[in-house]
Every structure is written in C-alpha cells, then in structure tokens.
Amino acid sequence: MRGTSRASLSAAKERLAAALSGSTADAATRTGEELFAVVMLLDNQSALRRNLSDASIDGSARAGLARSLLTDRVSATTVDQMSALAADRWSEPRDLVDAAEDLAVLAICAAADRGRLLDDVEDQLFRFGRIVGADPGLRYALSNQFVSAAGRRSLVKDLLDGKVAGPTLLLVSQAAAEPRGRSVDASLEAYASLAAALRERLVAEVHVVSALTAQQRSRLVATLSAAYGHDIHLNVVIDPELIGGMSVRIGDELISGSVESRIAEVKRNLAA
C-alpha cells in the first residue's frame, strides 16, 4: 500500500482494537467472519468497490453507502468498521478491500487471544503454510479452482478439524476458499504476520539442524528481543541442509551463523 492507504489502514486497526476491547471471543469471531464476507462481496462487485473508495465522492456519502448496504445484514460493529473504512482515503480501490481482509484476520486473532490460543494459532499457521508450500499435491488440492469454495473448505475441515485451534481452522479455510490471487501458503504467511502484529512483536524464522531446547529458545528470544526492542515470536524450522549453526530471518533481514555462510565468506575472500 502507498502512503495514503497505509495511514488509513493504521487508523482502521486502531478503531478495530477499540471496538473489540472487552468483547467476547464469540463476538470477535463474528466480526471477523462478517468482515470476510464483505471482502468476498467487494471482490465480486467492482463497481461497488470503486464507489466505496472513490475520492471524488464525499467521505460521508461513501460511509452512508456502506451503512445502507450492510445495516440489518451484519452486526453493528461490522457496519461501523466498514463505514469508517469507506470514509477513509485509499490510493487504490483494492486497498480498501485488502484493509477489510486485514481487519477480519485481526478480529479472528483477537478471538484467539481471548481464549489464550494466539500462540498456538501463530505456530499452526506457520507450520501448515510450510507443509502446503513443500507439498505440490496438497497445494494444488487446496487451490484448485475447479473445486468449489465450499469443497475446498470441506477439504480443510477433513485435514485439520480436531488437530488445530478453532481460529486456525477458520483462517486456513478462508485462505483456501478465497485465495484473492495468492497461494494458500502466501495467505497463511500474511495471516501469521498479522497475528504477531496484534501483540506488536516480530516474527523470527530460525533454521537449525536439530530442535532447540527450551533453554536455547528462551536465550535466543531474550537476545533477539533485546537487539530489536520488540517481543519476538520464534518459528523454528529443522533444516537438514544446514551443516551446523543456525540462520535467523526477521522481515527482510537475514542473520546467518551457519557453517555454510562462513564457508561462502571464506570462498569470497579467496576469490577477491
């Protein structure tokens, strides 16, 4: 998103957090599910999408259009969130819809947080995303557009029901049923990042040869948290291709302490 849309999205996230403050897990889940339904509507209605984001139309008129469309169809919280989004300014019509999707994910994550499940949801989204990314057959099955959205939801339910937290199942089902031009694993990565952002913490993807002990995990979290000034959530990947050591990626930054990286550095120095 460009500057105008980024500012509007930031304000929208603050409004959602205030609206859901003190709400129950069920209420937050309902908001998330309703926002996802609005996202699907807007993805399929290009004229409506343009009208709700057209800067040449007064913001109050755009908000009124959203209210007239949604009142008595969804909860008051969802109506308020979407009318406020419509009143905001967006660089592109799609940005408004992308913002609504982010709010939907954050509402589901807020519900997970109420149930003390947010850590589980983060881990499960990350791990299932990696499974999908590494299995072409599964990736195809979950993204096959010749299968209906309901069919893909049913497949996710067969795969994961009873094995993951409820919010995880809901988010994976949404990613498979309504991909919005992304692969399922890319959607899950984006959803996991939003889950981490809910607690204002960074995600560190750590590649190691063998599993870390609880003490090693705690020490690494403490070290990275002190270095970055944020809480850190670790996603640990067992990577047999590493000769030793570990590599850590936080956002676009790679911190490599692997043997391979040191060998590569020696080769570069010799070739210089």
Side-chain angles (χ1 to χ4, degrees):
M1 290 186 183
R2 287 185 286 180
T4 300
S5 291
R6 283 200 301 270
S8 294
L9 176 58
S10 179
K13 289 178 178 178
E14 291 180 6
R15 285 194 302 265
L16 180 71
L20 296 181
S21 177
S23 67
T24 65
D26 286 345
T29 298
R30 180 183 178 188
T31 298
E33 290 175 328
E34 290 175 345
L35 286 168
F36 274 134
V38 175
V39 169
M40 287 184 277
L41 171 67
L42 295 180
D43 275 340
N44 292 320
Q45 299 286 336
S46 59
L48 177 59
R49 186 168 66 242
R50 287 194 300 271
N51 286 335
L52 288 175
S53 59
D54 189 345
S56 69
I57 301 174
D58 183 74
S60 60
R62 298 196 304 270
L65 174 60
R67 284 194 176 277
S68 65
L69 175 70
L70 298 175
T71 297
D72 297 330
R73 291 179 173 85
V74 296
S75 66
T77 299
T78 302
V79 172
D80 289 344
Q81 295 304 307
M82 286 308 306
S83 61
L85 281 182
D88 288 333
R89 296 180 65 84
W90 303 96
S91 303
E92 300 287 343
R94 182 181 172 88
D95 289 349
L96 182 150
V97 191
D98 290 346
E101 182 186 28
D102 281 3
L103 296 189
V105 175
L106 288 170
I108 300 301
C109 290
D113 198 31
R114 304 289 188 276
R116 300 175 185 250
L117 295 170
L118 191 54
D119 283 340
D120 290 339
V121 170
E122 284 186 63
D123 286 335
Q124 290 163 0
L125 290 174
F126 173 76
R127 294 186 187 286
F128 190 67
R130 288 192 61 84
I131 290 170
V132 173
D135 188 331
L138 178 59
R139 192 180 195 187
Y140 175 76
L142 291 173
S143 59
N144 186 355
Q145 296 303 299
F146 292 104
V147 177
S148 68
R152 295 195 297 275
R153 288 184 188 276
S154 179
L155 174 58
V156 171
K157 190 175 191 309
D158 290 342
L159 288 170
L160 297 180
D161 193 22
K163 299 175 184 176
V164 297
T168 304
L169 181 61
L170 196 161
L171 291 172
V172 176
S173 297
Q174 182 67 25
E178 303 295 337
R180 308 194 66 235
R182 298 178 305 234
S183 65
V184 174
D185 46 317
S187 291
L188 297 182
E189 182 179 355
Y191 291 177
S193 294
L194 285 167
L198 189 66
R199 291 185 176 174
E200 298 184 343
R201 62 184 181 182
L202 299 175
V203 176
E205 183 173 320
V206 182
H207 287 243
V208 292
V209 176
S210 57
L212 298 177
T213 66
Q215 184 179 17
Q216 288 171 327
R217 288 180 67 102
S218 296
R219 190 162 61 243
L220 181 57
V221 166
T223 299
L224 293 173
S225 297
Y228 284 86
H230 278 276
D231 288 341
I232 298 288
H233 177 77
L234 291 187
N235 286 327
V236 179
V237 178
I238 307 302
D239 188 348
E241 294 185 1
L242 282 176
I243 298 173
M246 70 172 62
S247 66
V248 180
R249 182 177 295 278
I250 299 178
D252 294 330
E253 184 176 357
L254 178 65
I255 308 166
S256 184
S258 66
V259 172
E260 288 96 329
S261 68
R262 293 195 287 273
I263 292 174
E265 184 178 357
V266 169
K267 288 180 177 179
R268 286 194 298 270
N269 291 336
L270 289 175

